[in-house]
Every structure is written in structure tokens, then in C-alpha cells.
Amino acid sequence: MKNKTEILEELKNWDFAHRGLYDNITSPENSLSAFRKAVEKGYAIELDVHLTKDEKLVVVHDSSLKRMSGVELDIEGLTLEESKQYPLLSTSETMPEFKEVLSLVNGKVPLLVELKVVKNTEKLVDKVMEELDSYDGLYVIESFYPFALKYLKEKYPEVARGQLAGNLLKESKKSSDADIKPYENFLMKNLFVNLISSPDFVAFKYEDICLKSFKRYKGYKYTWTVRKYEDYLICKEQGITPIFEKFDPKEM
């Protein structure tokens, strides 16, 4: 089994498809078809994991189903079976279970798993690690919530952990990560949250990679979300692992 440093060194050579290789037309974000396309193209995958009411793991970015399924419901208030009633956008696909994604990917490409904490830190971490316990493939875990990473380090010290950060107050209010207080944003953009999370890598918002806090950081660096090929090339030049969407680097 590879240690954290070996895994992170290997992942430096990969590009990560943000929520899979999706188009939100025939392949919605965080869907099995988007993940299948990423595997076929040879891209590593970034994905988001929530815990349902009946403590099942589903892959979806927002807590609210409004943006992707058009209903004013939160995934944490639904059972897995109930969640299957709501298709993603205008497709027949629904939010996949985390274990379905693991079965599909099956170690063919690395995974970057974001923990979507909603007052369920320890339970979410434990459930994710339970699913990954028998998974034979490369993966790392990230979160905006430093206490989830702290708990992960204490209970699962062998797992490579990443702190998501940046100037989040500039994020669109459509984002589920935009509900942040000014003092929390200050801690995030200056990476003071690292004092709590002690991460193995940092995943910073692309628009903020010019900040001194990110430039000074000496560990492994990822950035989200890279939406232009020109920005992708900047990441490559600076040795930053890109998490991209809305274009295919291999077709540029």
C-alpha cells in the first residue's frame, strides 16, 4: 500500500475533471455518465459526497436539490430511496450512491473526494472511510471544513487530506459554499484554517492563487475551478494540480 507522499507525488501527474467530465445536457455533473466519460478519457475525478437522512452516501454538490432537480428539498432530509425520485436536470439520471461511483471507477483513475459536512462531521467521515476501506484505487480527501480534516487525521492518519480554501466571499450566492461569515473567510483565504486541519495539500480557488498565503504554502497545491485552457497552462507551468471543467484539455 502506498503512503501519503507516494500518492500525492503520483497525483501531481494527473488532471482532475471537476464533478466528472460533464456537460449538464446529456451528462449532468456528478453523474455516472460524467464519471464514465472521465474514466474513458483518462482523467482523475473530483466529486462531492453528502449523507442522506438514512445515512447513505450520495454524490452531489449542493445540499439543496433546487439547482439540479428543481425542487426545494435538501438531500440531508431525504432517504436514499426518496432521492431517486428526482432526476438530474432533464435526464433520466439520479444522484448516484458513492459506492456506485467506486464500482464504476474501480481504481482506473484517482479520486478527489470532497466531504460536504452538514452538522454531521464524524458520521460523514466514518461512512466515507467505511466505503473506501475495501476500495483498491488511489484517492485523497478534501473539505472546506477543517474540523472534518482534523477528525480524519486523528482517526485515519494514513489518508491524504486537503484543505479547500480561497476568498469565498467572492463566490456566487448560487454556490452552496458561499454561506460563509467574514471571519471564516479571513481564516480561509489566509490559510489560518491549516492550524486546525494540518492538511497534506491545499486546494485553492483559481482566481486567488496570486494571494501570498497560497504562494507561501510549501506543500502540494491543487486549484479549483479551472475553466479556460490558458489558465490550465498556467497551472501546469507553476506545478499546481488543476481541477478543471467546461473544456477538455486533451482536445485543445
Side-chain angles (χ1 to χ4, degrees):
M1 181 178 178
K2 295 183 179 181
N3 62 39
K4 290 192 288 187
T5 300
E6 291 172 329
I7 291 171
L8 289 166
E9 279 294 318
E10 184 167 340
L11 294 193
K12 285 168 61 176
N13 301 314
W14 287 83
D15 300 331
F16 283 80
H18 189 234
R19 308 176 195 171
L21 204 58
Y22 74 91
D23 57 20
N24 272 352
I25 300 173
T26 58
S27 295
E29 65 182 58
N30 277 323
S31 67
L32 289 180
S33 63
F35 298 139
R36 188 176 295 110
K37 288 180 180 179
V39 171
E40 291 171 353
K41 279 295 190 80
Y43 290 121
I45 293 169
E46 183 271 353
L47 56 84
D48 311 278
V49 180
H50 283 264
L51 196 62
T52 63
K53 183 179 179 180
D54 55 344
E55 299 186 358
K56 304 295 184 182
L57 295 170
V58 294
V59 178
V60 64
H61 181 268
D62 305 351
S63 283
S64 171
L65 274 62
K66 178 64 176 177
R67 183 173 63 88
M68 293 302 294
S69 298
V71 291
E72 294 283 3
L73 296 170
D74 287 345
I75 188 61
E76 285 79 15
L78 299 173
T79 64
L80 175 66
E81 183 177 356
E82 289 170 339
S83 77
K84 297 299 183 183
Q85 300 174 25
Y86 305 102
L88 298 172
L89 301 177
S90 57
T91 72
S92 60
E93 293 198 63
T94 57
M95 291 172 280
E97 279 192 82
F98 184 45
K99 65 180 181 181
E100 289 182 281
V101 178
L102 295 181
S103 178
L104 170 68
V105 177
N106 194 28
K108 297 182 183 73
V109 299
L111 297 175
L112 175 55
V113 180
E114 180 179 345
L115 302 174
K116 290 294 189 178
V117 177
V118 183
K119 299 179 181 179
N120 54 9
T121 303
E122 295 185 6
K123 192 167 291 184
L124 176 62
V125 170
D126 288 338
K127 288 288 184 179
V128 167
M129 291 312 303
E130 182 180 324
E131 291 290 349
L132 288 170
D133 183 58
S134 59
Y135 181 67
D136 188 20
L138 294 181
Y139 67 87
V140 293
I141 293 179
E142 66 178 3
S143 183
F144 281 102
Y145 193 59
F147 292 101
L149 300 176
K150 183 176 185 291
Y151 177 71
L152 191 62
K153 180 182 179 181
E154 292 170 350
K155 191 166 182 181
Y156 309 94
E158 73 283 359
V159 176
R161 301 160 300 105
Q163 177 66 58
L164 280 156
N167 187 359
L168 306 184
L169 284 181
K170 293 193 298 184
E171 282 289 274
S172 165
K173 288 303 178 183
K174 293 180 181 179
S175 169
S176 66
D177 299 318
D179 186 17
I180 184 171
K181 299 177 177 62
Y183 80 88
E184 293 173 325
N185 189 65
F186 176 80
L187 296 175
M188 284 283 183
K189 73 179 183 179
N190 291 293
L191 291 179
F192 292 142
V193 285
N194 288 7
L195 297 173
I196 298 170
S197 56
S198 301
D200 302 300
F201 66 95
V202 163
F204 220 65
K205 194 167 98 175
Y206 177 76
E207 290 78 4
D208 300 326
I209 63 172
C210 59
L211 292 180
K212 290 181 180 178
S213 57
F214 184 70
K215 287 187 173 182
R216 287 196 299 257
Y217 181 73
K218 300 300 183 183
Y220 296 92
K221 297 181 180 183
Y222 291 57
T223 189
W224 54 277
T225 305
V226 179
R227 297 185 174 93
K228 297 178 181 178
Y229 186 61
E230 295 80 6
D231 297 334
Y232 168 86
L233 293 178
I234 289 173
C235 293
K236 289 298 187 179
E237 290 170 2
Q238 296 186 17
I240 303 170
T241 302
I243 305 169
F244 72 91
E245 69 177 11
K246 300 188 183 300
F247 70 98
D248 185 341
K250 294 181 179 179
E251 294 184 356
M252 305 302 290

